[in-house]
Amino acid sequence: IADGACDCDGNVADCAGECGGTAIVDVCGVCGGDNDCLYAILSLGNFDSSGSVEVLYNFGGPVAGFQFDLTGLALTGAAGGAAGDAGLTVSVGGATVVGFSLTNSEIAAGSGVLTVLSFSDITAGTAELSLGNFGAITSADGTVYDASASGSIDHPTDCAGDYYGSAVEDECGVCGGDGIADGACDCDG
């Protein structure tokens, strides 16, 4: 049997030790694996109607860059979370959020708060997280993950149409009205 071979036919053992086998180590380092670590999931976390929302992550491998969209809010910035801890630059423009590293620093595989987005206004009845047209999540070595981004937040309105407003209809059906006047017995006075 030749050096490196496992039988007289010259076959070699695969990563599982099977002579002539076909199992190989996937990109995740798992013998016979199916690249299960190549996933990246984004979702929405805590929301504060006064101007902030968390974006959560679950990454199968290290991440050095991301792009996603969050519609329904007038985004003004991003700070903190694992992106901030890793030294990534996170920018917002319109509904698009982009995070990147000029030094190839990465967010380690795992889960938590990716970043906290700030906003100045609610622009639609629902805020929607998605990858948008060009969304992607990548590692420093160029691995593009099988990514998904989903989640929504419904924004209730009061009777005046203000998101998270406090105006209510009185017993006469008037939004923000004072109701039946003192001394009157009905809405007609």
Side-chain angles (χ1 to χ4, degrees):
I1 297 177
D3 283 344
C6 58
D7 63 15
C8 296
D9 295 329
N11 288 316
V12 295
D14 64 9
C15 62
E18 183 179 330
C19 185
T22 60
I24 58 172
V25 176
D26 69 4
V27 298
C28 305
V30 176
C31 179
D34 58 2
N35 301 324
D36 279 346
C37 67
L38 297 181
Y39 68 89
I41 302 167
L42 299 178
S43 60
L44 295 174
N46 291 330
F47 174 79
D48 181 347
S49 63
S50 66
S52 67
V53 60
E54 292 177 337
V55 177
L56 308 178
Y57 73 95
N58 186 358
F59 295 156
V63 168
F66 54 83
Q67 180 174 326
F68 60 87
D69 288 355
L70 181 58
T71 59
L73 302 172
L75 299 176
T76 58
D85 293 345
L88 272 65
T89 299
V90 181
S91 300
V92 299
T96 301
V97 179
V98 177
F100 58 93
S101 171
L102 295 174
T103 61
N104 285 337
S105 62
E106 293 179 309
I107 301 166
S111 60
V113 175
L114 177 63
T115 191
V116 179
L117 301 174
S118 55
F119 61 91
S120 60
D121 196 16
I122 297 170
T123 60
T126 303
E128 297 280 343
L129 178 70
S130 72
L131 289 175
N133 290 329
F134 303 105
I137 300 174
T138 62
S139 68
D141 68 5
T143 300
V144 178
Y145 292 97
D146 180 15
S148 66
S150 63
S152 64
I153 300 168
D154 290 329
H155 306 295
T157 58
D158 63 10
C159 62
D162 295 330
Y163 296 114
Y164 299 95
S166 59
V168 294
E169 283 189 10
D170 65 10
E171 66 266 16
C172 297
V174 177
C175 180
D178 293 329
I180 298 174
D182 286 342
C185 60
D186 62 16
C187 293
D188 294 331

